[in-house]
Amino acid sequence: MAAYFGIINDYEKFVKAFQSLSGLDLNYYKENQMKRRINNFMATHEYKDNYTDFLKALDCDSNLYDAFFKHLTINVTQFFRDLRLWDVYREKIIPELLAGKTSLKIWSAGCSGGQEAYTMAMIMAEYFPNIRYSILGTDIDINVLQQARAGNYEERDFASTPRPFLDKYFTPADNKFQVKESLKGNIRFQEQNLLTDRFDRGFDIIACRNVVIYFTDEAKNVLYQKFTDSLNIGGILFTGSTEHLFGKSHFGLKSISSFFYQKQ
Ligand SMILES: C[S@@+](CC[C@H](N)C(=O)[O-])C[C@H]1O[C@@H](n2cnc3c(N)ncnc32)[C@H](O)[C@@H]1O
């Protein structure tokens, strides 16, 4: 593979070569921000401005590759991230959805280490114990999916978590916290690239939060349309707390509370 790269001296060629190496097409991400992140990473790993050597190193050093992929995809997250919005989710969004249903199909798109998906499962278990539900967690980064499946977390992951949830749904083990098996039963984690892979349908809730920040506007528009197509009528798209959807009526979505959009 390395020989294939030849001399690479500009970003466009880097993007092409990196796509053939990783499958990730950086053309969907905002160029300036990606360039900055790539250059910072290269500088701290002593590959300043040398895309060719950097790509060769990525090709043969899997630790460097994993670190770089993680740096690009940015998987910072927490249980109950933006706690106030989870109150709205529990007090308004779920009860209104359940007015005409007895089960819920939920998707955490860009789920990172699973903290968002388990937050959703805790809310179901705690407040809606008689409702059947399934939660799909997807991410492009297979390393974070491993953590999600294992369900083993650091104390800092719980900075926003009300203490009773930690005590009830996790077991302390070796300075970490292991999610209880009872919470795992309704959750499935799967690798998926939101920009290129096909989506399942029939969801009542899709949470896609803090994932699209680096996507281009064109990529976001395509993605939001695909999410809308995957929702049931009346279903909810839950976005990150800095992510307002502009032109949402084009997608057939209506804002029903800040960061919650309903399919009409
Ligand atoms: C900052 S985390 C967000 C986690 C969680 N949704 C939250 O709000 O806390 C962003 C996640 O999006 C994932 N991601 C980035 N690009 C993606 C893509 N094209 N397809 C699927 N996941 C992607 C990253 O791997 C990362 O785990």
Side-chain angles (χ1 to χ4, degrees):
M1 173 67 81
Y4 161 85
F5 294 134
I7 302 289
I8 291 183
N9 50 15
D10 63 32
Y11 180 73
E12 236 169 78
K13 288 184 187 151
F14 174 82
V15 167
K16 219 168 174 180
F18 185 66
Q19 187 183 4
S20 72
L21 182 66
S22 69
L24 182 64
D25 185 355
L26 294 174
N27 284 311
Y28 289 113
Y29 293 76
K30 288 179 185 154
E31 186 172 323
N32 286 343
Q33 290 171 6
M34 275 301 126
K35 265 186 186 159
R36 205 172 324 130
R37 294 193 73 75
I38 293 166
N39 290 337
N40 283 343
F41 187 93
M42 285 171 61
T44 52
H45 291 77
E46 287 165 21
Y47 290 97
K48 199 170 181 313
D49 297 333
N50 189 337
Y51 283 135
T52 309
D53 283 355
F54 182 53
L55 278 161
K56 281 182 190 160
L58 287 178
D59 194 26
C60 52
D61 178 346
S62 64
N63 289 334
L64 184 73
Y65 176 89
D66 285 350
F68 181 60
F69 203 86
K70 187 169 174 184
H71 177 80
L72 280 188
T73 51
I74 311 156
N75 37 41
V76 174
T77 185
Q78 265 187 4
F79 294 96
F80 289 95
R81 185 176 193 170
D82 307 314
L83 186 57
R84 193 181 47 79
L85 293 178
W86 291 104
D87 291 339
V88 178
Y89 179 89
R90 164 173 65 87
E91 289 165 4
K92 173 179 164 66
I93 303 298
I94 301 274
E96 286 180 9
L97 271 173
L98 286 174
K101 307 184 127 283
T102 54
S103 65
L104 293 176
K105 182 170 170 175
I106 302 171
W107 178 15
S108 168
C111 64
S112 189
Q115 292 87 334
E116 183 175 83
Y118 286 121
T119 299
M120 292 163 141
M122 283 190 269
I123 290 174
M124 293 309 291
E126 192 62 24
Y127 300 102
F128 307 96
N130 299 320
I131 301 297
R132 280 183 299 119
Y133 68 94
S134 65
I135 299 175
L136 171 67
T138 62
D139 204 283
I140 194 171
D141 182 343
I142 51 169
N143 293 314
V144 294
L145 290 171
Q146 263 172 22
Q147 183 193 22
R149 291 187 187 111
N152 203 242
Y153 297 97
E154 310 271 346
E155 189 159 4
R156 63 166 183 267
D157 291 313
F158 298 93
S160 316
T161 305
R163 183 78 208 191
F165 283 96
L166 176 56
D167 293 338
K168 185 165 174 183
Y169 294 103
F170 293 84
T171 312
D174 300 334
N175 287 330
K176 288 192 163 192
F177 295 89
Q178 174 64 43
V179 71
K180 289 194 177 159
E181 287 302 313
S182 60
L183 219 53
K184 284 187 171 175
N186 297 311
I187 308 186
R188 187 166 55 90
F189 291 104
Q190 188 183 301
E191 183 185 353
Q192 182 193 49
N193 183 346
L194 291 170
L195 295 164
T196 49
D197 291 341
R198 64 169 286 284
F199 294 177
D200 192 7
R201 293 200 168 216
F203 289 101
D204 299 298
I205 301 168
I206 300 175
C208 184
R209 309 172 62 226
N210 310 298
V211 176
V212 303
I213 346 171
Y214 299 108
F215 291 3
T216 62
D217 287 344
E218 294 76 25
K220 276 190 224 175
N221 286 341
V222 172
L223 181 62
Y224 285 134
Q225 187 60 62
K226 280 172 73 184
F227 280 146
T228 308
D229 294 343
S230 284
L231 281 169
N232 291 327
I233 304 281
I236 300 294
L237 176 66
F238 180 11
T239 65
S241 60
T242 55
E243 296 157 3
H244 297 275
L245 259 69
F246 297 104
K248 50 201 168 281
S249 54
H250 297 311
F251 308 117
L253 294 168
K254 178 181 157 203
S255 170
I256 55 163
S257 184
S258 299
F259 314 111
F260 292 97
Y261 299 90
Q262 184 170 47
K263 179 168 173 175
Q264 299 305 289

